[in-house]
Amino acid sequence: MGKLYVVATPIGNLKDITIRALEVLREVNFIACEDTRRTLVLLNHYEIKDKKLISYYEPKESVQVPKIIKLLEREDVALVSDAGTPSISDPGYRLIKACVEKSIQVEVIPGPSAVLTAIVGSGLATDRFTFLGFLPRKGLESFFESLKACMDTTFVAFESPNRLVKSLQTMEKVYGGEVPVCVARELTKIHEEYVRGKLSEVLKNFVDRGETKGELVILWRLA
Ligand code: SAM
């Protein structure tokens, strides 16, 4: 019986990978990944060669799970996502659940995640936080409203750069402009930045830029 290794990979800076992650990726024959080209960039960088890559991305998850489970019945498989920790707003959960149900061992090789990197760098309280995944595209106003019941926590959400201003505007409409906010952008990359301040200030900062690029995380507190 094989083992499923869930391996965290860099969120930008290719040096952010653990020794264990590299050992596992060198040892296994099969690596399940989202975009094979993205994973090949990492493997080539570390001269990890001759791996069989299995496509495992969201629309294909339910088809691929039984195939990967069958493979795991005879050998180890590593699971990676394009960046960061698999299964955190990335494919992984369904395969891990299937392994648990089949009593296949799951070993997580911890490493980078945009969630923890952003909250630590935000300067907002870290003792309790609520990860919201990607902000919903529809019904954002009522979504923000529903969070008013959750106090004493730092909210952490993924958002795309082209929806950032709109989402911050909706947030201001619901919470007012005084709420402490941080936008953590391009973490671990050359243009890494944390834009911190009152919601009204952070919103103005991004409105003034006209266009925002790159990957980002929004964090805020209500009290
Ligand atoms: N599983 C990943 C993790 O653990 O970090 C998250 C994958 S999710 C599909 C991708 C989202 O994470 C991006 O849209 C962005 O919100 C956030 N993200 C990923 N890398 C980032 C980075 N370097 N800087 C800021 N946000 C990042």
Side-chain angles (χ1 to χ4, degrees), residues 9-13 34 81 83-91 112-116 118 131 134 157-161 184-189 214-218:
T9 59
I11 56 169
N13 188 323
E34 286 185 90
S81 58
T85 301
S87 195
I88 301 299
S89 295
D90 265 342
S113 174
V115 181
L116 290 187
F131 174 56
F134 280 96
F158 292 158
E159 183 55 294
S160 83
R185 203 179 69 83
E186 292 290 87
L187 298 171
T188 77
K189 304 183 199 176
E215 294 184 290
L216 55 91
V217 182
I218 311 178

PDB file of all heavy atoms in Angstrom, residues 9-13 34 81 83-91 112-116 118 131 134 157-161 184-189 214-218, ligand 1:
ATOM      1  N   THR A   9       4.214  23.835  -1.867  1.00  0.00           N
ATOM      2  CA  THR A   9       5.237  24.357  -2.780  1.00  0.00           C
ATOM      3  C   THR A   9       5.241  25.895  -2.700  1.00  0.00           C
ATOM      4  O   THR A   9       4.329  26.488  -2.118  1.00  0.00           O
ATOM      5  CB  THR A   9       4.958  23.892  -4.231  1.00  0.00           C
ATOM      6  OG1 THR A   9       3.668  24.363  -4.623  1.00  0.00           O
ATOM      7  CG2 THR A   9       5.017  22.370  -4.360  1.00  0.00           C
ATOM      8  N   PRO A  10       6.237  26.561  -3.282  1.00  0.00           N
ATOM      9  CA  PRO A  10       6.346  28.019  -3.131  1.00  0.00           C
ATOM     10  C   PRO A  10       5.124  28.786  -3.629  1.00  0.00           C
ATOM     11  O   PRO A  10       4.438  28.349  -4.560  1.00  0.00           O
ATOM     12  CB  PRO A  10       7.570  28.360  -3.991  1.00  0.00           C
ATOM     13  CG  PRO A  10       8.375  27.103  -4.031  1.00  0.00           C
ATOM     14  CD  PRO A  10       7.388  25.987  -4.023  1.00  0.00           C
ATOM     15  N   ILE A  11       4.889  29.976  -3.022  1.00  0.00           N
ATOM     16  CA  ILE A  11       3.809  30.859  -3.498  1.00  0.00           C
ATOM     17  C   ILE A  11       4.385  31.996  -4.349  1.00  0.00           C
ATOM     18  O   ILE A  11       3.719  32.974  -4.626  1.00  0.00           O
ATOM     19  CB  ILE A  11       2.945  31.431  -2.343  1.00  0.00           C
ATOM     20  CG1 ILE A  11       3.803  32.189  -1.313  1.00  0.00           C
ATOM     21  CG2 ILE A  11       2.131  30.340  -1.685  1.00  0.00           C
ATOM     22  CD1 ILE A  11       2.967  32.994  -0.310  1.00  0.00           C
ATOM     23  N   GLY A  12       5.611  31.878  -4.740  1.00  0.00           N
ATOM     24  CA  GLY A  12       6.222  32.928  -5.569  1.00  0.00           C
ATOM     25  C   GLY A  12       7.722  32.727  -5.660  1.00  0.00           C
ATOM     26  O   GLY A  12       8.267  32.477  -6.734  1.00  0.00           O
ATOM     27  N   ASN A  13       8.374  32.781  -4.511  1.00  0.00           N
ATOM     28  CA  ASN A  13       9.828  32.623  -4.483  1.00  0.00           C
ATOM     29  C   ASN A  13      10.182  31.136  -4.465  1.00  0.00           C
ATOM     30  O   ASN A  13       9.851  30.420  -3.517  1.00  0.00           O
ATOM     31  CB  ASN A  13      10.377  33.312  -3.227  1.00  0.00           C
ATOM     32  CG  ASN A  13      11.891  33.354  -3.244  1.00  0.00           C
ATOM     33  OD1 ASN A  13      12.546  32.429  -3.682  1.00  0.00           O
ATOM     34  ND2 ASN A  13      12.430  34.448  -2.756  1.00  0.00           N
ATOM     35  N   GLU A  34      -1.896  20.325 -10.563  1.00  0.00           N
ATOM     36  CA  GLU A  34      -2.927  21.070 -11.309  1.00  0.00           C
ATOM     37  C   GLU A  34      -2.470  21.298 -12.741  1.00  0.00           C
ATOM     38  O   GLU A  34      -2.927  20.669 -13.674  1.00  0.00           O
ATOM     39  CB  GLU A  34      -3.167  22.426 -10.642  1.00  0.00           C
ATOM     40  CG  GLU A  34      -3.930  22.374  -9.351  1.00  0.00           C
ATOM     41  CD  GLU A  34      -4.200  23.780  -8.871  1.00  0.00           C
ATOM     42  OE1 GLU A  34      -5.237  24.348  -9.235  1.00  0.00           O
ATOM     43  OE2 GLU A  34      -3.362  24.320  -8.115  1.00  0.00           O
ATOM     44  N   SER A  81      -0.090  21.532  -5.610  1.00  0.00           N
ATOM     45  CA  SER A  81      -0.959  22.420  -6.395  1.00  0.00           C
ATOM     46  C   SER A  81      -0.044  23.409  -7.122  1.00  0.00           C
ATOM     47  O   SER A  81       1.180  23.318  -7.005  1.00  0.00           O
ATOM     48  CB  SER A  81      -1.978  23.116  -5.500  1.00  0.00           C
ATOM     49  OG  SER A  81      -1.343  23.855  -4.497  1.00  0.00           O
ATOM     50  N   ALA A  83       0.601  26.414  -6.509  1.00  0.00           N
ATOM     51  CA  ALA A  83       1.383  27.211  -5.560  1.00  0.00           C
ATOM     52  C   ALA A  83       0.778  27.059  -4.174  1.00  0.00           C
ATOM     53  O   ALA A  83      -0.435  26.976  -4.029  1.00  0.00           O
ATOM     54  CB  ALA A  83       1.351  28.690  -5.962  1.00  0.00           C
ATOM     55  N   GLY A  84       1.648  26.999  -3.167  1.00  0.00           N
ATOM     56  CA  GLY A  84       1.158  26.959  -1.789  1.00  0.00           C
ATOM     57  C   GLY A  84       0.763  25.571  -1.330  1.00  0.00           C
ATOM     58  O   GLY A  84       1.251  24.562  -1.840  1.00  0.00           O
ATOM     59  N   THR A  85      -0.150  25.547  -0.389  1.00  0.00           N
ATOM     60  CA  THR A  85      -0.550  24.284   0.232  1.00  0.00           C
ATOM     61  C   THR A  85      -1.765  23.700  -0.491  1.00  0.00           C
ATOM     62  O   THR A  85      -2.800  24.371  -0.587  1.00  0.00           O
ATOM     63  CB  THR A  85      -0.863  24.532   1.732  1.00  0.00           C
ATOM     64  OG1 THR A  85       0.309  25.062   2.360  1.00  0.00           O
ATOM     65  CG2 THR A  85      -1.263  23.246   2.424  1.00  0.00           C
ATOM     66  N   PRO A  86      -1.643  22.485  -1.010  1.00  0.00           N
ATOM     67  CA  PRO A  86      -2.795  21.864  -1.673  1.00  0.00           C
ATOM     68  C   PRO A  86      -3.990  21.823  -0.720  1.00  0.00           C
ATOM     69  O   PRO A  86      -3.821  21.777   0.506  1.00  0.00           O
ATOM     70  CB  PRO A  86      -2.298  20.443  -1.985  1.00  0.00           C
ATOM     71  CG  PRO A  86      -0.822  20.552  -2.034  1.00  0.00           C
ATOM     72  CD  PRO A  86      -0.468  21.604  -1.008  1.00  0.00           C
ATOM     73  N   SER A  87      -5.175  21.853  -1.316  1.00  0.00           N
ATOM     74  CA  SER A  87      -6.424  21.717  -0.555  1.00  0.00           C
ATOM     75  C   SER A  87      -6.873  23.020   0.110  1.00  0.00           C
ATOM     76  O   SER A  87      -7.974  23.087   0.648  1.00  0.00           O
ATOM     77  CB  SER A  87      -6.308  20.587   0.488  1.00  0.00           C
ATOM     78  OG  SER A  87      -7.566  20.227   0.957  1.00  0.00           O
ATOM     79  N   ILE A  88      -6.053  24.054   0.087  1.00  0.00           N
ATOM     80  CA  ILE A  88      -6.473  25.362   0.614  1.00  0.00           C
ATOM     81  C   ILE A  88      -6.865  26.210  -0.599  1.00  0.00           C
ATOM     82  O   ILE A  88      -5.985  26.719  -1.314  1.00  0.00           O
ATOM     83  CB  ILE A  88      -5.336  26.040   1.427  1.00  0.00           C
ATOM     84  CG1 ILE A  88      -4.910  25.157   2.600  1.00  0.00           C
ATOM     85  CG2 ILE A  88      -5.764  27.424   1.916  1.00  0.00           C
ATOM     86  CD1 ILE A  88      -6.003  24.859   3.624  1.00  0.00           C
ATOM     87  N   SER A  89      -8.171  26.277  -0.872  1.00  0.00           N
ATOM     88  CA  SER A  89      -8.694  26.900  -2.105  1.00  0.00           C
ATOM     89  C   SER A  89      -7.998  26.320  -3.329  1.00  0.00           C
ATOM     90  O   SER A  89      -7.764  27.024  -4.324  1.00  0.00           O
ATOM     91  CB  SER A  89      -8.546  28.426  -2.085  1.00  0.00           C
ATOM     92  OG  SER A  89      -9.326  28.981  -1.081  1.00  0.00           O
ATOM     93  N   ASP A  90      -7.629  25.094  -3.259  1.00  0.00           N
ATOM     94  CA  ASP A  90      -6.950  24.349  -4.330  1.00  0.00           C
ATOM     95  C   ASP A  90      -7.444  22.907  -4.276  1.00  0.00           C
ATOM     96  O   ASP A  90      -7.937  22.471  -3.226  1.00  0.00           O
ATOM     97  CB  ASP A  90      -5.428  24.348  -4.070  1.00  0.00           C
ATOM     98  CG  ASP A  90      -4.708  25.453  -4.820  1.00  0.00           C
ATOM     99  OD1 ASP A  90      -5.279  25.995  -5.774  1.00  0.00           O
ATOM    100  OD2 ASP A  90      -3.558  25.736  -4.460  1.00  0.00           O
ATOM    101  N   PRO A  91      -7.267  22.146  -5.359  1.00  0.00           N
ATOM    102  CA  PRO A  91      -7.677  20.734  -5.314  1.00  0.00           C
ATOM    103  C   PRO A  91      -6.919  19.966  -4.232  1.00  0.00           C
ATOM    104  O   PRO A  91      -5.770  20.300  -3.936  1.00  0.00           O
ATOM    105  CB  PRO A  91      -7.298  20.217  -6.708  1.00  0.00           C
ATOM    106  CG  PRO A  91      -7.116  21.419  -7.551  1.00  0.00           C
ATOM    107  CD  PRO A  91      -6.701  22.531  -6.637  1.00  0.00           C
ATOM    108  N   PRO A 112       4.770  26.722   2.469  1.00  0.00           N
ATOM    109  CA  PRO A 112       4.125  28.011   2.236  1.00  0.00           C
ATOM    110  C   PRO A 112       2.623  27.929   2.027  1.00  0.00           C
ATOM    111  O   PRO A 112       2.110  26.970   1.457  1.00  0.00           O
ATOM    112  CB  PRO A 112       4.785  28.499   0.930  1.00  0.00           C
ATOM    113  CG  PRO A 112       6.035  27.723   0.798  1.00  0.00           C
ATOM    114  CD  PRO A 112       5.794  26.412   1.455  1.00  0.00           C
ATOM    115  N   SER A 113       1.954  28.981   2.517  1.00  0.00           N
ATOM    116  CA  SER A 113       0.556  29.218   2.175  1.00  0.00           C
ATOM    117  C   SER A 113       0.333  30.727   2.238  1.00  0.00           C
ATOM    118  O   SER A 113       0.802  31.385   3.174  1.00  0.00           O
ATOM    119  CB  SER A 113      -0.383  28.510   3.145  1.00  0.00           C
ATOM    120  OG  SER A 113      -1.708  28.901   2.827  1.00  0.00           O
ATOM    121  N   ALA A 114      -0.379  31.247   1.271  1.00  0.00           N
ATOM    122  CA  ALA A 114      -0.651  32.683   1.251  1.00  0.00           C
ATOM    123  C   ALA A 114      -1.451  33.099   2.486  1.00  0.00           C
ATOM    124  O   ALA A 114      -1.327  34.230   2.951  1.00  0.00           O
ATOM    125  CB  ALA A 114      -1.404  33.054  -0.024  1.00  0.00           C
ATOM    126  N   VAL A 115      -2.252  32.188   3.028  1.00  0.00           N
ATOM    127  CA  VAL A 115      -3.102  32.530   4.178  1.00  0.00           C
ATOM    128  C   VAL A 115      -2.240  32.921   5.381  1.00  0.00           C
ATOM    129  O   VAL A 115      -2.381  34.011   5.940  1.00  0.00           O
ATOM    130  CB  VAL A 115      -4.017  31.340   4.574  1.00  0.00           C
ATOM    131  CG1 VAL A 115      -4.909  31.718   5.731  1.00  0.00           C
ATOM    132  CG2 VAL A 115      -4.825  30.857   3.396  1.00  0.00           C
ATOM    133  N   LEU A 116      -1.345  32.031   5.778  1.00  0.00           N
ATOM    134  CA  LEU A 116      -0.540  32.288   6.976  1.00  0.00           C
ATOM    135  C   LEU A 116       0.474  33.393   6.734  1.00  0.00           C
ATOM    136  O   LEU A 116       0.713  34.230   7.611  1.00  0.00           O
ATOM    137  CB  LEU A 116       0.151  31.005   7.439  1.00  0.00           C
ATOM    138  CG  LEU A 116      -0.764  29.935   8.025  1.00  0.00           C
ATOM    139  CD1 LEU A 116       0.050  28.789   8.592  1.00  0.00           C
ATOM    140  CD2 LEU A 116      -1.669  30.503   9.106  1.00  0.00           C
ATOM    141  N   ALA A 118       0.167  35.978   4.797  1.00  0.00           N
ATOM    142  CA  ALA A 118      -0.535  37.266   4.810  1.00  0.00           C
ATOM    143  C   ALA A 118      -0.942  37.670   6.223  1.00  0.00           C
ATOM    144  O   ALA A 118      -0.765  38.829   6.612  1.00  0.00           O
ATOM    145  CB  ALA A 118      -1.768  37.198   3.904  1.00  0.00           C
ATOM    146  N   PHE A 131     -10.668  32.207   7.938  1.00  0.00           N
ATOM    147  CA  PHE A 131     -10.308  32.159   6.522  1.00  0.00           C
ATOM    148  C   PHE A 131     -11.586  31.938   5.707  1.00  0.00           C
ATOM    149  O   PHE A 131     -12.324  30.990   5.939  1.00  0.00           O
ATOM    150  CB  PHE A 131      -9.299  31.033   6.279  1.00  0.00           C
ATOM    151  CG  PHE A 131      -8.987  30.833   4.827  1.00  0.00           C
ATOM    152  CD1 PHE A 131      -8.518  31.879   4.043  1.00  0.00           C
ATOM    153  CD2 PHE A 131      -9.168  29.593   4.233  1.00  0.00           C
ATOM    154  CE1 PHE A 131      -8.238  31.710   2.697  1.00  0.00           C
ATOM    155  CE2 PHE A 131      -8.885  29.408   2.887  1.00  0.00           C
ATOM    156  CZ  PHE A 131      -8.426  30.472   2.119  1.00  0.00           C
ATOM    157  N   PHE A 134     -12.044  32.331  -1.369  1.00  0.00           N
ATOM    158  CA  PHE A 134     -12.262  33.439  -2.302  1.00  0.00           C
ATOM    159  C   PHE A 134     -13.563  34.151  -1.938  1.00  0.00           C
ATOM    160  O   PHE A 134     -14.562  33.493  -1.627  1.00  0.00           O
ATOM    161  CB  PHE A 134     -12.360  32.923  -3.744  1.00  0.00           C
ATOM    162  CG  PHE A 134     -11.007  32.656  -4.365  1.00  0.00           C
ATOM    163  CD1 PHE A 134     -10.470  31.380  -4.366  1.00  0.00           C
ATOM    164  CD2 PHE A 134     -10.267  33.691  -4.926  1.00  0.00           C
ATOM    165  CE1 PHE A 134      -9.216  31.135  -4.922  1.00  0.00           C
ATOM    166  CE2 PHE A 134      -9.022  33.459  -5.484  1.00  0.00           C
ATOM    167  CZ  PHE A 134      -8.491  32.181  -5.483  1.00  0.00           C
ATOM    168  N   ALA A 157      -9.248  36.734   3.272  1.00  0.00           N
ATOM    169  CA  ALA A 157      -9.945  36.280   2.061  1.00  0.00           C
ATOM    170  C   ALA A 157      -9.072  36.459   0.832  1.00  0.00           C
ATOM    171  O   ALA A 157      -8.282  37.403   0.744  1.00  0.00           O
ATOM    172  CB  ALA A 157     -11.244  37.073   1.878  1.00  0.00           C
ATOM    173  N   PHE A 158      -9.209  35.539  -0.109  1.00  0.00           N
ATOM    174  CA  PHE A 158      -8.545  35.673  -1.407  1.00  0.00           C
ATOM    175  C   PHE A 158      -9.444  36.518  -2.316  1.00  0.00           C
ATOM    176  O   PHE A 158     -10.675  36.417  -2.262  1.00  0.00           O
ATOM    177  CB  PHE A 158      -8.352  34.298  -2.061  1.00  0.00           C
ATOM    178  CG  PHE A 158      -7.365  33.401  -1.361  1.00  0.00           C
ATOM    179  CD1 PHE A 158      -7.425  32.015  -1.540  1.00  0.00           C
ATOM    180  CD2 PHE A 158      -6.368  33.910  -0.550  1.00  0.00           C
ATOM    181  CE1 PHE A 158      -6.513  31.174  -0.918  1.00  0.00           C
ATOM    182  CE2 PHE A 158      -5.440  33.079   0.083  1.00  0.00           C
ATOM    183  CZ  PHE A 158      -5.524  31.702  -0.104  1.00  0.00           C
ATOM    184  N   GLU A 159      -8.817  37.326  -3.137  1.00  0.00           N
ATOM    185  CA  GLU A 159      -9.576  38.116  -4.109  1.00  0.00           C
ATOM    186  C   GLU A 159      -8.710  38.313  -5.350  1.00  0.00           C
ATOM    187  O   GLU A 159      -7.473  38.314  -5.259  1.00  0.00           O
ATOM    188  CB  GLU A 159      -9.970  39.468  -3.482  1.00  0.00           C
ATOM    189  CG  GLU A 159     -10.821  40.361  -4.354  1.00  0.00           C
ATOM    190  CD  GLU A 159     -12.103  39.712  -4.869  1.00  0.00           C
ATOM    191  OE1 GLU A 159     -12.012  38.749  -5.668  1.00  0.00           O
ATOM    192  OE2 GLU A 159     -13.193  40.178  -4.502  1.00  0.00           O
ATOM    193  N   SER A 160      -9.356  38.471  -6.497  1.00  0.00           N
ATOM    194  CA  SER A 160      -8.574  38.711  -7.713  1.00  0.00           C
ATOM    195  C   SER A 160      -8.305  40.209  -7.840  1.00  0.00           C
ATOM    196  O   SER A 160      -9.105  41.030  -7.371  1.00  0.00           O
ATOM    197  CB  SER A 160      -9.317  38.175  -8.937  1.00  0.00           C
ATOM    198  OG  SER A 160     -10.247  39.118  -9.356  1.00  0.00           O
ATOM    199  N   PRO A 161      -7.191  40.587  -8.457  1.00  0.00           N
ATOM    200  CA  PRO A 161      -6.833  42.012  -8.501  1.00  0.00           C
ATOM    201  C   PRO A 161      -7.873  42.869  -9.218  1.00  0.00           C
ATOM    202  O   PRO A 161      -8.099  44.006  -8.829  1.00  0.00           O
ATOM    203  CB  PRO A 161      -5.496  42.020  -9.251  1.00  0.00           C
ATOM    204  CG  PRO A 161      -5.358  40.685  -9.875  1.00  0.00           C
ATOM    205  CD  PRO A 161      -6.182  39.729  -9.088  1.00  0.00           C
ATOM    206  N   ALA A 184      -2.447  42.266   1.220  1.00  0.00           N
ATOM    207  CA  ALA A 184      -1.115  41.657   1.088  1.00  0.00           C
ATOM    208  C   ALA A 184      -0.973  41.170  -0.350  1.00  0.00           C
ATOM    209  O   ALA A 184      -1.738  40.319  -0.792  1.00  0.00           O
ATOM    210  CB  ALA A 184      -0.989  40.497   2.070  1.00  0.00           C
ATOM    211  N   ARG A 185      -0.032  41.764  -1.055  1.00  0.00           N
ATOM    212  CA  ARG A 185       0.042  41.538  -2.511  1.00  0.00           C
ATOM    213  C   ARG A 185       1.410  40.984  -2.915  1.00  0.00           C
ATOM    214  O   ARG A 185       2.439  41.387  -2.365  1.00  0.00           O
ATOM    215  CB  ARG A 185      -0.211  42.888  -3.202  1.00  0.00           C
ATOM    216  CG  ARG A 185      -0.716  42.804  -4.624  1.00  0.00           C
ATOM    217  CD  ARG A 185      -0.954  44.180  -5.195  1.00  0.00           C
ATOM    218  NE  ARG A 185       0.287  44.878  -5.408  1.00  0.00           N
ATOM    219  CZ  ARG A 185       1.066  44.727  -6.476  1.00  0.00           C
ATOM    220  NH1 ARG A 185       0.724  43.936  -7.439  1.00  0.00           N
ATOM    221  NH2 ARG A 185       2.206  45.381  -6.560  1.00  0.00           N
ATOM    222  N   GLU A 186       1.382  40.049  -3.840  1.00  0.00           N
ATOM    223  CA  GLU A 186       2.620  39.520  -4.432  1.00  0.00           C
ATOM    224  C   GLU A 186       3.609  39.011  -3.366  1.00  0.00           C
ATOM    225  O   GLU A 186       4.818  39.265  -3.434  1.00  0.00           O
ATOM    226  CB  GLU A 186       3.286  40.583  -5.319  1.00  0.00           C
ATOM    227  CG  GLU A 186       2.483  40.907  -6.568  1.00  0.00           C
ATOM    228  CD  GLU A 186       2.496  39.754  -7.571  1.00  0.00           C
ATOM    229  OE1 GLU A 186       1.626  38.864  -7.441  1.00  0.00           O
ATOM    230  OE2 GLU A 186       3.352  39.745  -8.458  1.00  0.00           O
ATOM    231  N   LEU A 187       3.077  38.299  -2.391  1.00  0.00           N
ATOM    232  CA  LEU A 187       3.900  37.824  -1.280  1.00  0.00           C
ATOM    233  C   LEU A 187       5.039  36.941  -1.764  1.00  0.00           C
ATOM    234  O   LEU A 187       4.841  36.092  -2.641  1.00  0.00           O
ATOM    235  CB  LEU A 187       3.020  37.054  -0.281  1.00  0.00           C
ATOM    236  CG  LEU A 187       1.923  37.918   0.358  1.00  0.00           C
ATOM    237  CD1 LEU A 187       0.956  37.046   1.159  1.00  0.00           C
ATOM    238  CD2 LEU A 187       2.523  39.002   1.229  1.00  0.00           C
ATOM    239  N   THR A 188       6.173  37.157  -1.200  1.00  0.00           N
ATOM    240  CA  THR A 188       7.443  36.435  -1.476  1.00  0.00           C
ATOM    241  C   THR A 188       8.014  36.739  -2.862  1.00  0.00           C
ATOM    242  O   THR A 188       9.027  36.161  -3.252  1.00  0.00           O
ATOM    243  CB  THR A 188       7.339  34.885  -1.298  1.00  0.00           C
ATOM    244  OG1 THR A 188       6.676  34.322  -2.446  1.00  0.00           O
ATOM    245  CG2 THR A 188       6.632  34.471  -0.035  1.00  0.00           C
ATOM    246  N   LYS A 189       7.366  37.642  -3.599  1.00  0.00           N
ATOM    247  CA  LYS A 189       7.855  37.982  -4.947  1.00  0.00           C
ATOM    248  C   LYS A 189       8.551  39.349  -4.910  1.00  0.00           C
ATOM    249  O   LYS A 189       8.507  40.056  -3.900  1.00  0.00           O
ATOM    250  CB  LYS A 189       6.689  38.013  -5.937  1.00  0.00           C
ATOM    251  CG  LYS A 189       5.892  36.711  -5.985  1.00  0.00           C
ATOM    252  CD  LYS A 189       4.805  36.790  -7.017  1.00  0.00           C
ATOM    253  CE  LYS A 189       3.745  35.730  -6.773  1.00  0.00           C
ATOM    254  NZ  LYS A 189       2.623  35.829  -7.683  1.00  0.00           N
ATOM    255  N   GLY A 214      -1.308  41.238 -10.052  1.00  0.00           N
ATOM    256  CA  GLY A 214      -0.700  40.262  -9.148  1.00  0.00           C
ATOM    257  C   GLY A 214      -1.716  39.558  -8.268  1.00  0.00           C
ATOM    258  O   GLY A 214      -2.919  39.759  -8.383  1.00  0.00           O
ATOM    259  N   GLU A 215      -1.168  38.746  -7.377  1.00  0.00           N
ATOM    260  CA  GLU A 215      -2.032  37.965  -6.477  1.00  0.00           C
ATOM    261  C   GLU A 215      -2.148  38.689  -5.148  1.00  0.00           C
ATOM    262  O   GLU A 215      -1.195  39.309  -4.687  1.00  0.00           O
ATOM    263  CB  GLU A 215      -1.420  36.589  -6.272  1.00  0.00           C
ATOM    264  CG  GLU A 215      -1.413  35.779  -7.544  1.00  0.00           C
ATOM    265  CD  GLU A 215      -0.900  34.387  -7.303  1.00  0.00           C
ATOM    266  OE1 GLU A 215       0.305  34.244  -7.051  1.00  0.00           O
ATOM    267  OE2 GLU A 215      -1.709  33.450  -7.356  1.00  0.00           O
ATOM    268  N   LEU A 216      -3.322  38.566  -4.538  1.00  0.00           N
ATOM    269  CA  LEU A 216      -3.478  39.303  -3.279  1.00  0.00           C
ATOM    270  C   LEU A 216      -4.455  38.641  -2.306  1.00  0.00           C
ATOM    271  O   LEU A 216      -5.298  37.814  -2.683  1.00  0.00           O
ATOM    272  CB  LEU A 216      -3.898  40.741  -3.563  1.00  0.00           C
ATOM    273  CG  LEU A 216      -5.152  40.972  -4.403  1.00  0.00           C
ATOM    274  CD1 LEU A 216      -6.378  41.077  -3.535  1.00  0.00           C
ATOM    275  CD2 LEU A 216      -4.966  42.268  -5.205  1.00  0.00           C
ATOM    276  N   VAL A 217      -4.270  39.057  -1.063  1.00  0.00           N
ATOM    277  CA  VAL A 217      -5.112  38.587   0.043  1.00  0.00           C
ATOM    278  C   VAL A 217      -5.631  39.842   0.756  1.00  0.00           C
ATOM    279  O   VAL A 217      -4.877  40.796   0.948  1.00  0.00           O
ATOM    280  CB  VAL A 217      -4.278  37.739   1.038  1.00  0.00           C
ATOM    281  CG1 VAL A 217      -5.153  37.204   2.161  1.00  0.00           C
ATOM    282  CG2 VAL A 217      -3.554  36.596   0.331  1.00  0.00           C
ATOM    283  N   ILE A 218      -6.922  39.845   1.102  1.00  0.00           N
ATOM    284  CA  ILE A 218      -7.483  40.967   1.882  1.00  0.00           C
ATOM    285  C   ILE A 218      -7.706  40.490   3.312  1.00  0.00           C
ATOM    286  O   ILE A 218      -8.234  39.392   3.525  1.00  0.00           O
ATOM    287  CB  ILE A 218      -8.850  41.450   1.328  1.00  0.00           C
ATOM    288  CG1 ILE A 218      -8.806  41.680  -0.174  1.00  0.00           C
ATOM    289  CG2 ILE A 218      -9.313  42.704   2.035  1.00  0.00           C
ATOM    290  CD1 ILE A 218     -10.163  42.117  -0.761  1.00  0.00           C
TER     291      ILE A 218
HETATM  292  N1  SAM B   1      -3.278  26.888  -1.894  1.00  0.00           N
HETATM  293  C1  SAM B   1      -2.743  28.213  -2.014  1.00  0.00           C
HETATM  294  C2  SAM B   1      -2.049  28.601  -0.731  1.00  0.00           C
HETATM  295  O1  SAM B   1      -1.972  27.782   0.171  1.00  0.00           O
HETATM  296  O2  SAM B   1      -1.503  29.704  -0.655  1.00  0.00           O
HETATM  297  C3  SAM B   1      -3.825  29.184  -2.417  1.00  0.00           C
HETATM  298  C4  SAM B   1      -4.365  28.902  -3.785  1.00  0.00           C
HETATM  299  S1  SAM B   1      -5.614  29.962  -4.332  1.00  0.00           S
HETATM  300  C5  SAM B   1      -6.125  29.144  -5.808  1.00  0.00           C
HETATM  301  C6  SAM B   1      -4.734  31.303  -5.039  1.00  0.00           C
HETATM  302  C7  SAM B   1      -4.976  32.610  -4.290  1.00  0.00           C
HETATM  303  O3  SAM B   1      -4.100  32.687  -3.166  1.00  0.00           O
HETATM  304  C8  SAM B   1      -4.644  33.838  -5.119  1.00  0.00           C
HETATM  305  O4  SAM B   1      -5.716  34.219  -5.934  1.00  0.00           O
HETATM  306  C9  SAM B   1      -4.352  34.866  -4.037  1.00  0.00           C
HETATM  307  O5  SAM B   1      -5.547  35.371  -3.485  1.00  0.00           O
HETATM  308  C10 SAM B   1      -3.648  33.995  -3.000  1.00  0.00           C
HETATM  309  N2  SAM B   1      -2.185  33.987  -3.252  1.00  0.00           N
HETATM  310  C11 SAM B   1      -1.455  32.986  -3.754  1.00  0.00           C
HETATM  311  N3  SAM B   1      -0.161  33.346  -3.839  1.00  0.00           N
HETATM  312  C12 SAM B   1      -0.088  34.620  -3.395  1.00  0.00           C
HETATM  313  C13 SAM B   1       0.974  35.555  -3.239  1.00  0.00           C
HETATM  314  N4  SAM B   1       2.213  35.248  -3.599  1.00  0.00           N
HETATM  315  N5  SAM B   1       0.681  36.781  -2.741  1.00  0.00           N
HETATM  316  C14 SAM B   1      -0.584  37.097  -2.381  1.00  0.00           C
HETATM  317  N6  SAM B   1      -1.612  36.257  -2.504  1.00  0.00           N
HETATM  318  C15 SAM B   1      -1.378  35.037  -2.998  1.00  0.00           C
END
